[in-house]
Amino acid sequence: LARHLCLLFSAPLLRPRPSLTCKAGPEIQAFVIPHSHMDVGWVYTVQESMHAYASNVYSSVVEELSRVKSRKFIAVEQEFFRLWWVNVATDWHKKQVGQLLKEGRLEFIIGGQVMHDEAVTDVDDAILQLTEGHGFLYETFGVRPRFGWHVDPFGASATTPVLFALAGFDAHLISRIDYDLKDDMQKNKKLQFVWRGSPSLKEKQEIFTHTMDQFSYCTPSYLPFSNRSGFYWNGVALFPDPPKDGIYPNMSLPVTKETVELYAQTMVDNIKQRAQWFRTSHVLWPWGCDKQFFNASVQFMNMDVIMNYINTHSDKYGVAVQYATLQDYFQTVHQTNLSWDVRGNQDFLPYSTEPFQAWTGFYGSRNVLKGVARRASSLLYAAESLFTRYRISYPNGPVQKEWALDKLKALRWAVSEVQHHDGITGTESPKVADMYMEHLMQGMMGFKCNIYIFLIDKQSFVVVSDSGNVLEQHIIVYNPLAWNISTYINISVAYAMAVVLDDDGKAVPAQIQQSMESSTVYDLFFVVELGGLQYRMYIVQFPQSHCDTGSACGATHVARVVTFKKKNVSQWKRTGRKLLPVLNECYKLMFDQETNLLHSITDRQMRVRVQQDFWEYEANGDVHSGPISDNYIFTANGSAIPAYKSVAMEIVPGKVVSEIRQYFYREEEDKNHTYSVVTRVPVGFEGRLACFRLEQSYKVGPLEINRETVFRTRTSLKNNRTLFTDNNGYQMMKRTYKTFVNNTIARNYYPMVRAAYIQDDSSRVVFLSERAHGVASLSQGQLEVMLHRRLWNNQEWNLGYNLTLNDSSVVRPVLWMMLGSPSALSSIYQQEALQLQHRPVVMPIDQPQIVPDMPHPSFFSPLSYSPSCIHLSLLYYVLNISYSYARYACLNVYISFLGLNAPIRT
């Protein structure tokens, strides 16, 4: 090694150390890094995994590290470690963990609750799960993880290296990038580089990044002298119960005098092969794979013999090996003083493993779970800020702090857990998806208990005017954002007339109309004005007799539904002749009465042709007939086809919101529609943000089997098929259309977490999302969003693990559409995206009833200073009312200046 370093120091990019003495030694130094990749839910639930192997991993690893001083291990996902620490570890185990950490032989890597997905996670949720894990580690051990280990997420986002740099990481490690790109980087020894993931922060937040070679994070399992599992002597984990005799299937041949040379030669050959792809003579050799080291005594006992044999014969092999942690490896590479290529804010999305395996399907898999996960995150955001303000206002209030924090912790845990790369991605089995949903729903129920008690604190009641013998319902609306908002909210009621009063007893503008969902339900819209982090009570009265329009009833508009005849596609002739306008103060939408489709949108300056409808990709389900689609992979079996044969339309002109309802029927004779889209045009919000958004709510499904449904928007923009999408809701990425020999459609799909847009020199069309989707621009002026997928295939692997995505659910995502000049929208679309993500929390606190004098809480005053350019991303218990790690400087208060589009830590 020393001799090789001397040769390296002769390179012009290196700064030599004059004190170094050159001596003969091994040419290659291999750092053997023991690890176990443990998915926090994938095929099996967390509980099943804990029982089958995860508990044994930490128990047996700690025991084996304590037995032999040269051994080391890295621990990655904190959910399993925390469950082991709390429920399984003995006092002896805990004492040994502390000692191993001090000795640097056990190292926590990443330190997040999970190894989060990088494509469809929101940056706030990535911060949350990282802080949740780091807080536990700092509070328990006083340690801070320093390295990333993102070996399994399906593609690498440019947001993650920025986040890790902000969290103080020294280096980052990735693995899954396009097969052809990885091959090129290997050949040119460019697998290591300095990554500047943010175009605004640039070198201020850069991080050294190591890309794993083609063998990825698993030790090669193929051995020329054995057909078993290679270097995994503990075998394969068994579910639901481990074998009582300790003998697992596929256990490798033990290392004996007869096999040690064969094992050693195989390991050396692999190390030398890897060494050819890197600039230094130091090889990171990950030893482990999925669900490994649950029988660590067998693992270490065999590897000890191989490593001792190689080191004893290092002159023969030209290789030396040692157990190592990531710190050992990265510190040694750093000491070479090499200069590295700099990578800008380009990411590694999308990810393909071969020409017909583009991992872009998971952007749209399990749409319901994606929606619930984001909603739970939004409710957590609201709950934490509300709790903090409650403690400020009522430090001695009756709500027990510990009880409230337990509820918040449950929701934090659930939101953190689902960020796992087989969680929010939708790539898990149905029972694991059910586990995530159960934890999220339980957490949100706890939130509702919290917020109800905060807001209905009896000590804060005041009495308002007598309502008389009128049916009333009381609604509390909370604004979780740090700036003032003016918008409308929508609740379902059972009465055809309603009056809405604010906390001053004044009637507010409202609108009531027949619901499209049921003939016995009505939609009530009313305008809310809220300051930053403010809540207010609204009283909804339901007059049971004639309501005089000269009274408060005059503030409520009774909207009528106008129905248009269903139009069959086969009967379409010339279009654009009979256009019907729907307009507000910002837009004029024109609907074609010959097709019942949107025809164009005009803002204050320009008119853009816009047509929107549903299309479907037909997936192949037979592996013998060609490439298939599944949870992970989207393989377009030809171009998309229209998903409907006829369209019906209803328009509801309003004074708070005008509503256009479009129903799409798969066949002309169908009585029930398969798809619908409701476009809501806010009315009366001139000069306010709400004026610029067109809210579109979709209803999709249940789908036919092997269908992937997209909502396609075709415009007159000249965008050259160039698309802009957000990186985890953080910063925007330019996506230039690329042509491939195979699978071009799927390989031009990208994740949309909060926003996507297309534009030309004069116009921009923006879509904002409250959950993640896949998005593409496959032709001039077009943008399509994948809303839902239902797939089945006969691939043995998918069938064995129930990963075919036979999702028969009905999904109801929401997008906000905006149109205008690029300069006009660039200043507001990010703020609108946050308003969509953190919409007002609406809490009905009772059922309609006769209440003569209803006491209600005084409302929080708005923030005294709440500029719209500041977003309080996370308000982590800054009042010293939580865990001790609230004082730990790991992003506990994170402020984004939207104008700069860059985060600032405080």
Side-chain angles (χ1 to χ4, degrees), residues 833-866:
L834 285 168
Q835 287 212 21
L836 174 58
Q837 185 164 352
H838 298 294
R839 285 167 286 181
V841 179
V842 180
M843 290 288 297
I845 61 174
D846 54 20
Q847 297 295 320
Q849 57 186 310
I850 296 176
V851 185
D853 286 304
M854 176 61 188
H856 70 87
S858 57
F859 54 85
F860 286 154
S861 60
L863 292 179
S864 58
Y865 179 67
S866 54

Side-chain angles (χ1 to χ4, degrees), residues 550-616:
S551 65
C553 291
T556 300
H557 171 68
V558 180
R560 306 300 179 189
V561 179
V562 180
T563 302
F564 295 81
K565 184 180 178 181
K566 182 193 292 187
K567 298 293 184 179
N568 296 332
V569 173
S570 60
Q571 299 172 356
W572 288 0
K573 298 178 182 178
R574 289 182 58 192
T575 60
R577 297 180 301 174
K578 298 170 63 176
L579 300 180
L580 182 68
V582 178
L583 63 158
N584 68 356
E585 294 81 0
C586 292
Y587 298 117
K588 180 169 71 173
L589 286 71
M590 304 297 287
F591 289 86
D592 193 331
Q593 296 182 63
E594 296 185 80
T595 63
N596 286 336
L597 297 179
L598 180 62
H599 175 272
S600 61
I601 301 176
T602 303
D603 75 345
R604 296 172 178 176
Q605 298 178 350
M606 66 201 74
R607 175 176 174 269
V608 175
R609 284 292 306 271
V610 181
Q611 181 174 319
Q612 297 181 311
D613 52 3
F614 292 93
W615 294 62
E616 288 181 342

Side-chain angles (χ1 to χ4, degrees), residues 651-664:
I651 294 181
V652 188
K655 294 186 177 180
V656 174
V657 59
S658 291
E659 193 171 84
I660 304 95
R661 305 168 177 174
Q662 294 166 292
Y663 307 92
F664 294 78

Side-chain angles (χ1 to χ4, degrees), residues 703-751:
L703 303 182
E704 292 184 350
I705 202 72
N706 285 331
R707 293 291 190 273
E708 299 169 273
T709 299
V710 301
F711 187 70
R712 180 173 287 179
T713 300
R714 287 164 285 175
T715 76
S716 55
L717 272 62
K718 308 297 183 183
N719 74 316
N720 296 320
R721 297 187 291 190
T722 297
L723 175 70
F724 293 82
T725 68
D726 67 313
N727 242 205
N728 309 101
Y730 175 55
Q731 295 185 315
M732 300 301 294
M733 300 286 292
K734 184 177 181 179
R735 311 294 194 180
T736 304
Y737 184 87
K738 298 179 178 65
T739 301
F740 300 91
V741 174
N742 299 301
N743 213 19
T744 292
I745 292 175
R747 296 188 74 175
N748 276 286
Y749 253 81
Y750 295 90

Side-chain angles (χ1 to χ4, degrees), residues 486-489 508-510 525-529 538 656 683 685 688:
S486 175
T487 187
Y488 64 85
I489 64 170
V508 302
F525 300 88
F526 61 92
V527 176
V528 295
E529 307 275 354
Y538 293 87
V656 174
V683 179
F685 291 90
R688 291 171 283 184

